[in-house]
Amino acid sequence: MKHLFEFLLRQGDNALVLGHRTSEWCGVAPALEEDIALANTALDLIGQTQLWLGYAAEVEGKGRSANDLAYLRDVYDFRNILMLEVPNEDFGRTLMRQFLFDAFQVPWLTALCGSSDKRVADFSGKSLKEANYHLDRSAETVIALGNGTEESNTRMQAALDYLWPYAGELFGEDDTDQAMQAAGIAVLPASIRNDWDTKVQGILSDASLRTPKSTFAHFGGRSGFRHTEHLGHMLATMQILQRSYPGAVW
Amino acid sequence: MYAQMVKSEATKDDPEQLAAFQARIDAGEKIEPKDWMPEGYRKTLIRQVGQHAHSEIVGQLPEGNWITRAPTLERKANLLAKVQDEAGHGLYLYCAAETLGVSRDEMTQMLLDGRMKYSSIFNYPTLTWADMGAVGWLVDGAAIMNQVPLQRTSYGPYARAMVRVCKEESFHQRQGFHIMMAMVKGTAEQKRMAQDALNRFWYPALMMFGPSDKDSVHSSQSMAWKIKMNTNDELRQKFVDETVPQAEYLGLTIPDEDLTWNEENGQYDFTEPDWNEFFDVISGNGPCNVDRLSARQKAWDDGAWVRDAMNAHAEKKAARKLAAE
């Protein structure tokens, strides 16, 4: 059960941390339509968080809830990939990150729809509908901003160069991944690497952006071993009420 | 409310045309974008609908202030959905205003350089989570009072936008009330937050209806045109009469020692807000005026490269399509 719990935390924390980062855009996006779209994405991700962390809490069996997991764990207990916790910076980095993640989520959730665990399969099916829509939008935006103006191309290239070393963590593999594969609950992330590469290469090329050559990857998020400095600040904000008023019901 | 202190424009049109126009309004007909309308009607509506739209957009900021600190996943999702609805309302309203011949970008510019206003209420800070309850309960509650009658306003696109807006606003008000309910049922600290939020938002909420009728110089023409449906004092009274029992239900105290039920006329007598404070706020000296506008200005400036790039991309695509034909 330990591995299933870990696996569920990874799904839930990815959704939570990206959902939170996306929600930081509320009210200050470049255009009203983008404000609405970003809020929509954040809402989908927070909804997915509730599913995955709710199930994780159940599997753990210690009487914790999805909210306890979201609001009362510290940095080293989070299992999201590092790419999702780094700051939004500008709209370009926000959308580039969304794209790199969505391009993973679509084949990943598609594979998880065949999970031997019925709830994993159900949650994946539900999340996949949203991920498909997110991917359409983020890919389209990356293409538009890559091709728009000289400035937008420069910013998108900078966003890609910054995020690239973090993308490799999507394909990490450890005991948990192997246990999930052995139980038929999930496939190995590496098994969808080709799908991701093809999609990402295609869109970046359509966006007139150069794929970085480096294959270096930062790890430490999905294992919880070493997060970035940014996550602690995010949690300080996100968890303030639950931490300041222990036991209060909101 | 959302549109406060909208100055009606004098009109210099042909008296016969004006009389025919007024007759249509009196008969309850809707005025549509292509119909003839007096210049004053058009200008007043642009100001009112634009101000309403800006209020939705600036109104995202005080609530956006708590999205990243919402205490549970459910509350976070609800607040996100609410602020997203407000952006949507802004969009319908800008579209309604565009039918009168002014673009969204022009209106945004007028907001940023101070030629157009937004509701005074959004110049107050949101300091604790209870403010998310108070804003939903009182601010959306006051907005509904104003907007429900505007569903019958004479300008078709505005009236239709209001129908959608009202449905969502009443949901927001219930959501705000639920937050307050949770707070008053909670710990002593939570109750204190709830009372403090009511103390700070009560009078600013009363100000949302605009100055007292005796000082409201712009109402009569707008009422004749059915752009404004009720007087400021009528709506304020209705708001007090509906809100006082809700506060009692919550076990909270309205911060007005002179609040009393008047048996004779079947309504509450209450203390008027401090109108000097109101005029200070609308002239730029509210607690958050500078911060709110600079947040909007920053979002607009930071987003310029994105909007430029999107336009450039769309133009290139259109040019390619044309070349291929």
Side-chain angles (χ1 to χ4, degrees):
Chain A
M1 281 327 238
K2 178 180 157 278
H3 287 308
L4 179 58
F5 177 62
E6 281 285 314
F7 167 81
L8 293 169
L9 285 183
R10 288 174 184 181
Q11 313 316 310
D13 288 345
N14 278 347
L16 173 58
V17 170
L18 184 59
H20 183 93
R21 284 291 186 220
T22 310
S23 78
E24 292 173 355
W25 275 102
C26 195
V28 295
L32 208 38
E33 289 80 354
E34 296 304 329
D35 235 312
I36 294 172
L38 286 164
N40 212 43
T41 304
L43 262 174
D44 288 344
L45 291 167
I46 299 302
Q48 293 173 19
T49 306
Q50 289 173 297
L51 299 175
W52 294 115
L53 291 188
Y55 188 20
E58 227 178 282
V59 166
E60 187 195 33
K62 291 185 181 166
R64 292 204 280 183
S65 65
N67 280 323
D68 293 336
L69 291 175
Y71 290 92
L72 297 172
R73 280 178 302 154
D74 208 336
V75 168
Y76 43 63
D77 285 331
F78 270 74
R79 296 289 183 264
N80 58 284
I81 64 160
L82 302 175
M83 180 172 79
L84 306 180
E85 71 196 37
V86 297
N88 291 331
E89 183 71 17
D90 65 0
F91 186 77
R93 190 196 282 177
T94 303
L95 264 291
M96 180 61 82
R97 165 168 60 195
Q98 186 72 45
F99 166 66
L100 295 174
F101 182 66
D102 294 340
F104 174 82
Q105 283 299 85
V106 167
W108 174 244
L109 293 169
T110 303
L112 294 189
C113 285
S115 174
S116 62
D117 184 309
K118 191 177 174 307
R119 289 173 73 187
V120 169
D122 286 351
F123 296 166
S124 300
K126 185 183 175 298
S127 306
L128 178 60
K129 284 186 199 140
E130 295 166 347
N132 271 316
Y133 168 77
H134 297 169
L135 178 59
D136 284 349
R137 179 177 166 273
S138 62
E140 217 172 83
T141 312
V142 165
I143 292 172
L145 296 178
N147 288 308
T149 61
E150 209 181 312
E151 182 186 0
S152 71
N153 179 275
T154 306
R155 282 178 181 262
M156 294 312 279
Q157 188 66 53
L160 178 61
D161 293 346
Y162 177 84
L163 293 168
W164 192 253
Y166 291 110
E169 194 181 13
L170 286 163
F171 305 101
E173 182 176 326
D174 61 11
D175 291 356
T176 293
D177 299 296
Q178 285 155 7
M180 290 298 100
Q181 187 204 26
I185 294 174
V187 297
L188 288 176
S191 70
I192 58 166
R193 175 111 212 192
N194 279 341
D195 289 337
W196 185 83
D197 280 337
T198 309
K199 180 75 184 177
V200 168
Q201 296 286 351
I203 298 294
L204 292 180
S205 150
D206 289 351
S208 314
L209 297 169
R210 293 180 312 279
T211 307
K213 296 255 182 310
S214 169
T215 54
F216 176 79
H218 288 293
F219 285 88
R222 70 201 297 279
S223 67
F225 176 68
R226 185 160 55 215
H227 278 276
T228 69
E229 290 179 346
H230 306 293
L231 183 62
H233 292 278
M234 193 193 112
L235 297 184
T237 302
M238 186 177 95
Q239 298 180 336
I240 185 172
L241 288 172
Q242 291 287 355
R243 297 286 192 183
S244 305
Y245 303 98
V249 177
W250 304 91
Chain B
M1 158 102 27
Y2 273 145
Q4 268 166 340
M5 302 274 296
V6 175
K7 183 171 176 290
S8 340
E9 288 279 339
T11 220
K12 289 178 195 151
D13 298 284
D14 169 53
E16 262 179 50
Q17 256 184 323
L18 272 179
F21 179 79
Q22 189 62 51
R24 287 189 63 194
I25 289 187
D26 294 343
E29 281 181 44
K30 289 278 178 264
I31 308 301
E32 295 300 334
K34 287 182 179 161
D35 296 350
W36 182 86
M37 63 186 82
E39 224 19 60
Y41 177 86
R42 182 188 301 276
K43 283 188 181 161
T44 309
L45 262 176
I46 288 175
R47 197 172 287 154
Q48 177 166 334
V49 180
Q51 191 185 113
H52 193 158
H54 296 326
S55 297
E56 299 283 358
I57 302 312
V58 178
Q60 290 182 281
L61 298 172
E63 291 182 298
N65 183 37
W66 278 93
I67 284 181
T68 55
R69 291 179 288 169
T72 66
L73 296 168
E74 296 74 22
R75 293 293 187 204
K76 193 181 184 72
N78 291 344
L79 189 58
L80 259 168
K82 177 177 190 233
V83 181
Q84 186 194 27
D85 284 348
E86 279 152 13
H89 298 171
L91 204 52
Y92 316 145
L93 287 159
Y94 283 125
C95 290
E98 281 182 330
T99 65
L100 293 158
V102 54
S103 74
R104 200 202 308 177
D105 281 2
E106 285 172 281
M107 283 184 279
T108 301
Q109 210 44 60
M110 289 194 270
L111 167 71
L112 295 177
D113 66 25
R115 277 177 292 158
M116 283 180 100
K117 302 279 185 209
Y118 55 90
S119 177
S120 58
I121 192 73
F122 302 118
N123 289 315
Y124 288 88
T126 52
L127 303 179
T128 72
W129 175 252
D131 289 13
M132 295 304 97
V135 166
W137 171 39
L138 300 175
V139 174
D140 290 289
I144 291 165
M145 292 286 162
N146 192 42
Q147 289 168 178
V148 164
L150 285 176
Q151 296 177 100
R152 293 178 284 110
T153 192
S154 62
Y155 189 57
Y158 191 29
R160 289 188 288 274
M162 279 304 110
V163 173
R164 271 186 87 167
V165 169
C166 282
K167 276 190 199 143
E168 293 176 348
E169 294 287 11
S170 44
F171 181 73
H172 297 165
Q173 192 201 10
R174 276 204 299 280
Q175 196 172 296
F177 194 75
H178 284 150
I179 291 177
M180 290 309 256
M181 286 282 288
M183 302 293 283
V184 300
K185 282 195 209 153
T187 63
E189 283 156 322
Q190 287 174 302
K191 281 180 208 153
R192 183 180 162 199
M193 282 182 217
Q195 183 63 53
D196 170 70
L198 175 58
N199 292 350
R200 281 181 290 108
F201 275 98
W202 175 250
Y203 287 106
L206 296 187
M207 291 176 199
M208 287 175 68
F209 300 94
S212 171
D213 294 346
K214 62 183 187 308
D215 302 317
S216 181
V217 287
H218 308 305
S219 289
S220 59
Q221 179 62 76
S222 286
M223 287 187 73
W225 277 335
K226 295 191 188 165
I227 293 174
K228 190 178 167 88
M229 309 297 285
N230 303 82
T231 73
N232 297 349
D233 286 338
E234 278 167 14
L235 291 171
R236 189 168 13 251
Q237 183 69 52
K238 190 165 157 31
F239 174 75
V240 171
D241 292 342
E242 283 191 19
T243 308
V244 171
Q246 293 167 358
E248 282 167 1
Y249 182 80
L250 289 169
L252 296 174
T253 309
I254 302 271
D256 178 357
E257 286 180 4
D258 297 326
L259 183 82
T260 43
W261 177 251
N262 184 324
E263 271 306 336
E264 211 169 297
N265 51 20
Q267 60 188 29
Y268 283 94
D269 292 335
F270 59 94
T271 306
E272 293 261 318
D274 175 357
W275 292 115
N276 291 329
E277 177 181 318
F278 172 75
F279 287 108
D280 275 341
V281 174
I282 60 166
S283 62
N285 290 322
C288 298
N289 295 54
V290 174
D291 287 347
R292 296 284 186 248
L293 265 191
S294 57
R296 285 311 312 158
Q297 183 73 56
K298 184 174 186 306
W300 184 248
D301 294 345
D302 289 353
W305 72 270
V306 177
R307 296 189 301 276
D308 290 347
M310 294 285 193
N311 288 336
H313 177 65
E315 277 164 26
K316 285 182 202 169
K317 248 172 66 177
R320 270 202 303 277
K321 197 173 164 223
L322 200 67
E325 279 169 10

